[in-house]
């Protein structure tokens, strides 16, 4: 965090546009070994049976504004769990870049990119192991009707390659549109439609395929959702959530739920 206000002059004024935020979390489970009791959260103890290690740092330029607002985020996560089939370890790191700029008070331009790696290591099942390098490009254009309503169109290109075992790969093109409406009378609705074209090389039934495709199928897929929220009274509201998907090889799948919440 930079302790300068934007009323400063010179280099202090330049630094006032920047803001930095860092978070670090460590959770460990260690097998008790005789009288040895390790309290050091950074030690590489071989008796670790559970681990959740998360580091995140974000550097902002013009944070909270819509004028060339830029964010760079570095993320590094590591988890380890002990299952009845052996230990499972996962590692994820990524470099994320976000850019946002408002044009002519109505058009909001956004651009997101991501480059990183996802790795999984299973103690007893080699078929569950993967080491995936990936990068994503995601431009988005929004038209803002008012502070309560907007409409978006977007495109996303994703490339993923597994560097071990069968060397699976995915080239994914996604395009679609979404909208959001929020009423001052306690009513809101938002929805999204996405069309995916997946060029996947590898076994579509493997754990690697599930990780890459995120439950979708190779080829053309359509995914849509609709969420409706309404305040019925001061102490009662209702949420209606509907989701659907369809691929070239399967019929449309529809999911929905209704939630009624009361506040006491």
């Amino acid at each position: 965090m930079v302790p300068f206000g934007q009323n400063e002059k010179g280099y202090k004024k330049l630094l006032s546009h920047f803001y930095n935020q860092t978070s670090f979390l460590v959770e460990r489970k260690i097998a008790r070994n005789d009288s040895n009791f390790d309290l050091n959260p950074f030690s590489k103890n071989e008796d670790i049976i559970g681990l959740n290690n998360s580091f995140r740092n974000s550097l902002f330029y013009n944070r909270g504004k819509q004028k060339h607002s830029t964010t760079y985020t570095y993320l590094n996560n590591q988890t380890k769990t002990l299952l009845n089939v052996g230990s499972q370890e996962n590692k994820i790191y990524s470099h994320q870049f976000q850019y946002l700029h408002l044009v002519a008070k109505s058009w909001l331009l956004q651009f997101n990119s991501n480059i990183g790696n996802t790795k999984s290591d299973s103690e007893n099942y080699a078929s569950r192991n993967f080491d995936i390098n990936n990068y994503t490009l995601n431009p988005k254009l929004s038209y803002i009707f008012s502070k309560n309503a907007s409409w978006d169109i977007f495109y996303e290109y994703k490339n993923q390659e597994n560097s071990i075992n069968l060397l699976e790969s995915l080239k994914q093109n996604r395009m679609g549109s979404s909208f959001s409406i929020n009423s001052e009378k306690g009513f809101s609705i938002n929805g999204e439609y996405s069309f995916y074209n997946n060029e996947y090389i590898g076994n579509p039934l493997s754990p690697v395929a599930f990780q890459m495709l995120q439950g979708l199928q190779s080829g053309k897929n359509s995914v849509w959702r609709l969420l409706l929220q309404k305040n019925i009274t001061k102490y009662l509201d209702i949420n209606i959530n509907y989701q659907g998907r369809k691929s070239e090889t399967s019929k449309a799948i529809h999911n929905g739920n209704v939630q009624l919440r009361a506040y006491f």
Side-chain angles (χ1 to χ4, degrees):
M1 181 176 178
V2 178
F4 301 127
Q6 295 189 9
N7 293 325
E8 300 282 355
K9 296 181 180 180
Y11 76 93
K12 291 185 178 181
K13 181 175 179 61
L14 175 63
L15 291 176
S16 69
H17 290 275
F18 291 90
Y19 181 92
N20 193 79
Q21 188 176 62
T22 302
S23 65
F24 181 62
L25 172 68
V26 178
E27 295 179 353
R28 302 195 311 166
K29 294 180 180 179
I30 303 175
R32 186 69 179 267
N33 185 8
D34 297 329
S35 59
N36 182 27
F37 191 67
D38 187 4
L39 293 175
N40 183 2
F42 303 103
S43 68
K44 297 181 179 180
N45 195 314
E46 296 182 356
D47 296 325
I48 293 178
I49 58 176
L51 176 67
N52 181 13
N53 190 339
S54 176
F55 175 82
R56 181 187 181 95
N57 187 84
S58 296
L59 177 63
F60 302 88
Y61 175 77
N62 281 349
R63 183 186 185 213
K65 299 182 178 181
Q66 295 179 338
K67 184 177 181 181
H68 300 294
S69 176
T70 306
T71 306
Y72 164 71
T73 299
Y74 173 72
L75 179 68
N76 194 323
N77 289 339
Q78 180 182 3
T79 61
K80 183 177 181 179
T81 54
L82 183 62
L83 308 173
N84 56 2
V85 294
S87 65
Q88 177 82 31
E89 187 171 2
N90 298 296
K91 296 179 180 179
I92 300 174
Y93 81 83
S94 66
H95 300 272
Q96 303 172 9
F97 175 83
Q98 298 175 307
Y99 174 80
L100 185 149
H101 183 62
L102 184 65
V103 181
K105 297 183 180 180
S106 297
W107 295 96
L108 184 63
L109 175 65
Q110 300 179 64
F111 179 81
N112 300 323
S113 66
N114 178 80
I115 182 170
N117 176 271
T118 302
K119 185 176 182 179
S120 179
D121 186 10
S122 177
E123 183 179 15
N124 296 317
Y125 289 90
S127 62
R128 295 178 178 268
N129 297 343
F130 51 78
D131 190 350
I132 301 173
N133 297 310
N134 62 81
Y135 69 87
T136 304
L137 301 174
N138 176 213
K140 180 178 179 180
L141 182 64
S142 304
Y143 183 77
I144 302 174
F145 296 95
S146 67
K147 64 178 182 179
N148 297 323
S150 64
W151 170 69
D152 317 309
I153 55 173
F154 53 83
Y155 169 77
E156 181 180 79
Y157 174 76
K158 182 181 292 185
N159 184 292
Q160 300 186 72
E161 295 181 352
N162 183 23
S163 60
I164 62 174
N165 294 338
L166 299 180
L167 306 178
E168 296 89 345
S169 67
L170 171 68
K171 294 182 179 179
Q172 182 184 86
N173 288 276
R174 172 188 174 224
M175 60 187 68
S177 180
S178 62
F179 71 92
S180 177
I181 300 174
N182 297 301
S183 171
E184 296 178 354
K185 297 181 180 180
F187 169 81
S188 66
I189 181 172
N190 63 78
E192 180 179 294
Y193 170 81
S194 295
F195 173 78
Y196 292 82
N197 186 18
N198 295 323
E199 299 179 18
Y200 176 74
I201 299 176
N203 180 5
L205 302 178
S206 66
V208 182
F210 184 82
Q211 172 69 28
M212 287 185 169
L213 293 167
Q214 295 294 301
L216 299 176
Q217 302 297 318
S218 181
K220 296 178 174 60
N221 297 258
S222 292
V223 178
W224 57 91
R225 63 170 179 81
L226 186 67
L227 175 62
L228 173 66
Q229 297 177 308
K230 179 72 172 68
N231 293 337
I232 300 176
T233 67
K234 185 177 180 180
Y235 305 102
L236 189 67
D237 62 32
I238 186 171
N239 295 340
I240 301 175
N241 188 9
Y242 163 68
Q243 298 179 355
R245 64 173 57 191
K246 187 181 185 307
S247 68
E248 292 180 298
T249 58
S250 65
K251 296 181 179 179
I253 299 174
H254 304 276
N255 294 301
N257 62 75
V258 179
Q259 182 183 64
L260 188 65
R261 293 189 300 182
Y263 300 92
F264 299 95

